Amino acid sequence: MNVEATTFTQLLARYERVIEISQQLNATRDHRALLKRIIAAAMELLDIEAASILLLDPSTGELRFELAANMDDADMTSIVVPIEGSIAGWVVAHGEPRVIEDVTQEPNFFKNVDKVLEFQTRNVLAMPLRTHQKVIGVLEAVNKRQHNPFNAEDIKILMTLAGQAAIAIENARLFQQSDFMAEMVHELRTPLASLRTSAVLLQRQTLSDEQSQIVGIMQSETERLIQMTSEFLDLARLESGRMRLDIQTFAVEKLLQESIDVVQPQAADRKVTIHASLLPFNANGDRAKIKQVILNLLTNAIKYNREGGRVEVECCHSLRHDEPYVEISIADTGNGISREDQRNMFQKFFRVADNSSTQGTGLGLAIAKYIVEAHKGTIWMESELGVGSTFYFTIPLAE
């Protein structure tokens, strides 16, 4: 085998290893373990003496070492890397990689790190850790062994690794945040369940009108808080990527009618009539999750409707991106939503200002969006002030 063929084989093996490492990173949810894997991968793939990960602190904007092959925790905690006057800071500010073959000739080289570590940096390859929206930090490769320079393939390899690493780090962060939120909210469920039971038992007693009113408020508020905790836990599972879809074929017409039957008493209380124009389609999806979306949209259509208003439910065939879908629409005759508010309707915790008196978490539509998009569908809305709003979503049509 000639030298050129040998080099190509070695390069191919490196890229195969990058793919294998990327899969490992995407499967790692523990933040510390993930950083260790990234450092080890960089040192293996580039044959370097050291590697480090620096991340921006979102609260302070400071750039700090999160993990480094040649640092202990005390060193990492003590060093704050300036945005101005450091190679990593330049990479964060510009969002571009830097290759420094001789750091002694680089004015942006931050010498304090070498002083603290009693280490000698010769050359550096610094790559931005970029997610879809922003640069969150820097992955640095330090000192190519045998005093070799970093070459074009080294840059491509580290760029690929950094891209995968950034996404994995963001996912791990999100996973940790979701776990914390889920644990906190879960702890609320036990005392809330006790309050619900107490309220039910009190309702069975002979009470004065004033006492009965107080217990009724306690019961309704407890139910509202239980609903809120359920939505928070749903959101935590969705954001962490741990929601699993139970895909099956189901009749859309039957599911819509079931959902209408559930909200019918709520509609009757507000004298809202529900009209349905349902065609017999079958869809592929998680029936329970899609029912959750439908119930959320129906409940909103009734809650934000005018007294004695109307709700129209329809389903039809839709061809989006050359794939067959079922399109479901739920329209109300409420006050409508302004164009400014429409832009934020599917954001977490957003609630229309005019409806601020209506209690809720502002999570229902965000959860619905997660569920629909997990089915490769789309959710959107149309609204006109004084006329009403229509919410649409699509799910895959079954064969």
Side-chain angles (χ1 to χ4, degrees):
M1 184 179 292
N2 59 37
V3 175
E4 185 176 339
T6 301
T7 303
F8 177 77
T9 302
Q10 292 173 342
L11 185 60
L12 184 61
R14 287 178 80 189
Y15 277 104
E16 287 176 348
R17 182 66 179 135
V18 169
I19 294 171
E20 182 182 340
I21 289 170
S22 298
Q23 291 172 341
Q24 293 172 355
L25 296 182
N26 290 328
T28 305
R29 291 289 179 262
D30 180 84
H31 187 68
R32 185 79 174 180
L34 173 63
L35 298 179
K36 287 181 178 179
R37 281 179 181 249
I38 296 167
I39 293 292
M43 295 186 68
E44 173 194 341
L45 292 167
L46 274 71
D47 191 25
I48 51 179
E49 292 179 6
S52 58
I53 296 170
L54 300 91
L55 296 179
L56 279 169
D57 186 327
S59 59
T60 65
E62 294 177 337
L63 187 59
R64 291 182 175 272
F65 284 98
E66 198 75 11
L67 194 67
N70 58 338
M71 287 189 189
D72 57 30
D73 289 345
D75 290 333
M76 287 189 292
T77 303
S78 66
I79 299 174
V80 177
V81 178
I83 299 297
E84 293 185 10
S86 71
I87 297 169
W90 188 97
V91 170
V92 166
H94 293 80
E96 299 175 5
R98 287 291 306 275
V99 183
I100 311 297
E101 293 301 346
D102 183 358
V103 297
T104 62
Q105 304 301 312
E106 171 55 43
N108 280 324
F109 177 58
F110 184 56
K111 299 176 182 178
N112 287 16
V113 178
D114 277 8
K115 289 179 182 178
V116 171
L117 301 179
E118 297 181 354
F119 183 82
Q120 184 177 357
T121 301
R122 299 189 307 273
N123 52 12
V124 175
L125 171 55
M127 195 66 60
L129 291 167
R130 184 191 297 277
T131 62
H132 298 298
Q133 299 175 337
K134 58 187 177 181
V135 175
I136 62 170
V138 180
L139 174 58
E140 286 188 336
V142 179
N143 290 358
K144 188 81 170 171
R145 294 188 188 276
Q146 284 87 45
H147 292 256
N148 291 326
F150 290 104
N151 57 40
E153 292 305 329
D154 291 329
I155 296 172
K156 291 178 183 177
I157 291 287
L158 195 64
M159 185 179 294
T160 303
L161 178 63
Q164 294 296 319
I167 295 170
I169 289 170
E170 280 291 271
N171 287 341
R173 281 175 166 178
L174 189 59
F175 195 85
Q176 286 182 326
Q177 292 168 2
S178 296
D179 270 355
F180 173 76
M181 185 173 72
E183 184 177 347
M184 180 182 68
V185 172
H186 188 73
E187 288 298 315
L188 292 173
R189 293 173 72 85
T190 300
L192 285 173
S194 299
L195 282 171
R196 173 200 268 168
T197 303
S198 300
V200 170
L201 291 174
L202 284 171
Q203 288 282 28
R204 295 176 182 176
Q205 307 302 312
T206 302
L207 304 172
S208 67
D209 289 345
E210 184 179 1
Q211 290 171 330
S212 181
Q213 184 179 8
I214 292 171
V215 173
I217 292 171
M218 185 176 80
Q219 187 173 15
S220 65
E221 287 298 290
T222 302
E223 293 294 342
R224 183 175 69 87
L225 288 171
I226 289 172
Q227 177 64 28
M228 287 174 66
T229 60
S230 297
E231 289 185 353
F232 273 117
L233 289 172
D234 278 346
L235 184 66
R237 282 190 288 267
L238 289 162
E239 287 191 327
S240 66
R242 285 175 290 181
M243 181 186 73
R244 296 291 178 264
L245 298 179
D246 179 18
I247 302 297
Q248 56 182 291
T249 300
F250 62 89
V252 176
E253 180 185 14
K254 184 177 180 182
L255 179 59
L256 284 168
Q257 191 58 58
E258 274 181 29
S259 303
I260 291 169
D261 291 342
V262 170
V263 300
Q264 197 68 60
Q266 180 185 349
D269 287 343
R270 303 201 67 237
K271 298 180 176 59
V272 171
T273 56
I274 302 176
H275 298 272
S277 177
L278 308 179
L279 298 176
F281 291 111
N282 286 338
N284 285 329
D286 187 317
R287 193 179 192 276
K289 293 290 191 298
I290 297 301
K291 186 173 183 178
Q292 184 178 350
V293 174
I294 295 168
L295 286 174
N296 177 269
L297 297 180
L298 282 172
T299 300
N300 286 347
I302 295 167
K303 184 191 299 183
Y304 300 120
N305 215 321
R306 58 182 171 80
E307 191 85 9
R310 190 175 71 257
V311 173
E312 299 282 351
V313 182
E314 296 183 1
C315 66
C316 63
H317 177 268
S318 173
L319 194 64
R320 300 179 66 84
H321 308 296
D322 298 323
E323 295 290 336
Y325 282 81
V326 178
E327 181 178 297
I328 297 167
S329 64
I330 297 174
D332 65 59
T333 55
N335 294 327
I337 300 166
S338 70
R339 289 187 178 276
E340 182 179 352
D341 284 337
Q342 286 180 44
R343 290 195 290 268
N344 299 307
M345 285 303 295
F346 296 99
Q347 299 296 317
K348 292 182 294 186
F349 306 112
F350 178 78
R351 293 170 61 205
V352 176
D354 291 345
N355 294 324
S356 59
S357 61
T358 304
Q359 296 171 327
T361 61
L363 293 176
L365 289 177
I367 291 171
K369 185 173 186 287
Y370 269 109
I371 292 172
V372 170
E373 291 182 351
H375 285 79
K376 304 292 190 288
T378 308
I379 187 168
W380 71 99
M381 67 166 298
E382 296 173 358
S383 186
E384 185 178 345
L385 288 174
V387 177
S389 305
T390 305
F391 285 81
Y392 304 84
F393 72 94
T394 60
I395 49 176
L397 182 72
E399 291 291 338

